[in-house]
Amino acid sequence: MWTEKQRGIRVSQEELLCKNACGYYGNPAWQGLCSKCWRERARPVESQRQDTRPRNDGTPLTFSKFEEKKNIEKGHRINTMRRLFWGSPSPPKRQESSESQTNALKAYQSLEPGDFTGFLKILRSPPSQRLQSRCTAFLNTMEAYHDLPVQKQSDLVQDFYQSFAEHFSSFTEAQATQIMEHVEKLIMTRLHKWVFCHDSCDDEQKDLALQRRIRSLNWVTPQMLSVPFPDKKTTVTSDPFLSAITAIIEMDAKRAPQDKLACVSKCSQHVFEVLSSSNSEPANADDFLSGLIYVVLKANPPRLHSNMQYVIRFGLPHSLMAGESGYYFTNLSCAVAFIEKLDGPALNLSPEEFEGYMLHQRAPSTRKKRQQFVGDTQHLLEEIKDRQEKLDQGMDALNTQLQTWVKAVHSQLDEATAQFALVQKEITAQADISQVFSSSTHEESLQGDQEDHSVRVLTDQHVNPKDSDC
């Protein structure tokens, strides 16, 4: 009987760092090393394998032959890099003027963060002609030799980053990082179709194996991973991790490694937001890793292994070795490694129970799920009932206010009608009075005219008596 119990997934900060104690983040894909330490370890092994190959006569190389072969290979490597960077076996003899180079550097320093379009305009300007030629020559050469092994292509791209960054050695670290991110986006957007999921590696097979593995673990519940879920009110209608799931799925649609890393960072930030809303305290590293594992299991992102290897091989080293993006990507690598090695003890299950789940002979406690569903449904019904009661109360209050308003309107209308009738009567009375006054005034005027006429007649008779006798 399995009796040992543990809560969640415990990963300390030290376990995320490089095993060489250099201070940068390690990665399970590099056996716990950072990208810098991994390359330093891998290259001597590769050169040793090449140096110990037998000659045509079957005898191993001596020390003097080893030194000679090393110098020859070094010369070949230098010529190869020159051909990649300048497009010819030797660099051009014409040197740029210091004034034009200074103007170009000032233009790059004035770039706003994230202004990729502005970077392209500066790169195409005459002062930056040499840098543009190096990028064009490198891209053309990489496309011409796209059949090279993917690890060799990765080394060439990383060497190009390092060589190109030397032009901006006088810049601050933030400015140089910003410019190199633009360079990475320019280069890898063009080379994506040639180097992503390359035929020389088994990324496609590992993608299918990882997808089958995640699909076989679709029975894993958040409770098994000890993922702290938010309040039930938010989990009834939708999955709180939906935004994080969407972000991690979008990673496959991006081309530049930094854009893929941005999707990982966005996903991780959503996980932190959900975990923070579930507790009054900020989410810790253990809860974050458990939540990230749950998101990966729910999303089953397409070509997850290929996307992660693409970022590892062709991304800028500083993006993976330190900073927020490096921390999130390291946790994603740990989550994938955990899923690949997931067993019963990691989920607080006995080996028999784990095997039963994997063979679909068992299902996660349906009784608890049913009880939880009933409780959530009952809680939802109670919430709907409270809303309905508040709605009814609001309707009653609105109906009362409406009736009061109608009565007030009718009262005001009756009062206005009465006032109108009184005003109309007053107007009619005034009109009648005016008419009577005007008629009497007219009669008096006529009578006065007649009297005036009579007076004039009498006056005329008195003045001319002879006329009257006649």
Side-chain angles (χ1 to χ4, degrees), residues 218-241:
N218 59 357
W219 48 268
V220 177
T221 62
Q223 292 75 20
M224 293 179 179
L225 296 170
S226 299
V227 179
F229 253 56
D231 188 9
K232 293 181 180 179
K233 293 181 181 180
T234 60
T235 59
V236 174
T237 56
S238 63
D239 193 330
F241 291 98

Side-chain angles (χ1 to χ4, degrees), residues 175-336:
Q175 291 175 338
T177 299
Q178 174 187 339
I179 294 174
M180 290 309 301
E181 287 178 353
H182 292 321
V183 173
E184 178 212 82
K185 189 170 186 177
L186 171 65
I187 296 298
M188 296 317 303
T189 301
R190 177 92 171 262
L191 297 181
H192 178 270
K193 62 181 180 180
W194 300 111
V195 300
F196 183 80
C197 199
H198 199 266
D199 295 337
S200 63
C201 58
D202 56 351
D203 289 347
E204 185 175 358
Q205 290 76 14
K206 291 184 177 180
D207 282 331
L208 296 175
L210 182 59
Q211 283 190 338
R212 287 193 296 265
R213 175 66 173 174
I214 295 177
R215 197 178 300 116
S216 66
L217 295 171
N218 59 357
W219 48 268
V220 177
T221 62
Q223 292 75 20
M224 293 179 179
L225 296 170
S226 299
V227 179
F229 253 56
D231 188 9
K232 293 181 180 179
K233 293 181 181 180
T234 60
T235 59
V236 174
T237 56
S238 63
D239 193 330
F241 291 98
L242 182 60
S243 298
I245 293 172
T246 303
I248 196 66
I249 291 177
E250 289 177 351
M251 179 173 62
D252 186 59
K254 307 298 181 181
R255 292 188 177 184
Q258 60 179 288
D259 293 338
K260 293 181 183 294
L261 275 178
C263 293
V264 176
S265 299
K266 183 179 178 181
C267 168
S268 302
Q269 290 168 0
H270 283 308
V271 172
F272 267 116
E273 291 176 0
V274 174
L275 296 178
S276 299
S277 64
S278 62
N279 298 322
S280 58
E281 302 177 355
N284 54 42
D286 296 333
D287 292 339
F288 167 66
L289 183 56
S290 300
L292 188 60
I293 292 172
Y294 172 75
V295 168
V296 174
L297 290 175
K298 289 285 290 184
N300 197 0
R303 302 191 293 185
L304 178 58
H305 175 80
S306 293
N307 281 293
M308 294 177 63
Q309 290 298 316
Y310 177 75
V311 173
I312 290 173
R313 292 166 182 157
F314 302 103
L316 292 172
H318 71 85
S319 300
L320 303 179
M321 294 166 59
E324 189 178 65
S325 59
Y327 175 77
Y328 291 148
F329 189 80
T330 301
N331 277 273
L332 178 62
S333 301
C334 293
V336 173

Side-chain angles (χ1 to χ4, degrees), residues 399-452:
N399 191 18
T400 302
Q401 293 177 1
L402 183 61
Q403 291 178 359
T404 304
W405 179 77
V406 170
K407 290 180 180 179
V409 170
H410 283 301
S411 177
Q412 293 177 0
L413 183 61
D414 294 339
E415 183 179 355
T417 304
Q419 291 180 357
F420 179 75
L422 292 175
V423 172
Q424 190 175 13
K425 287 180 181 180
E426 291 179 358
I427 294 174
T428 304
Q430 290 179 359
D432 294 340
I433 293 172
S434 299
Q435 185 176 3
V436 171
F437 178 76
S438 62
S439 61
S440 62
T441 303
H442 182 65
E443 291 177 357
E444 290 177 357
S445 177
L446 292 177
Q447 186 177 0
D449 293 340
Q450 291 177 358
E451 290 177 356
D452 293 339

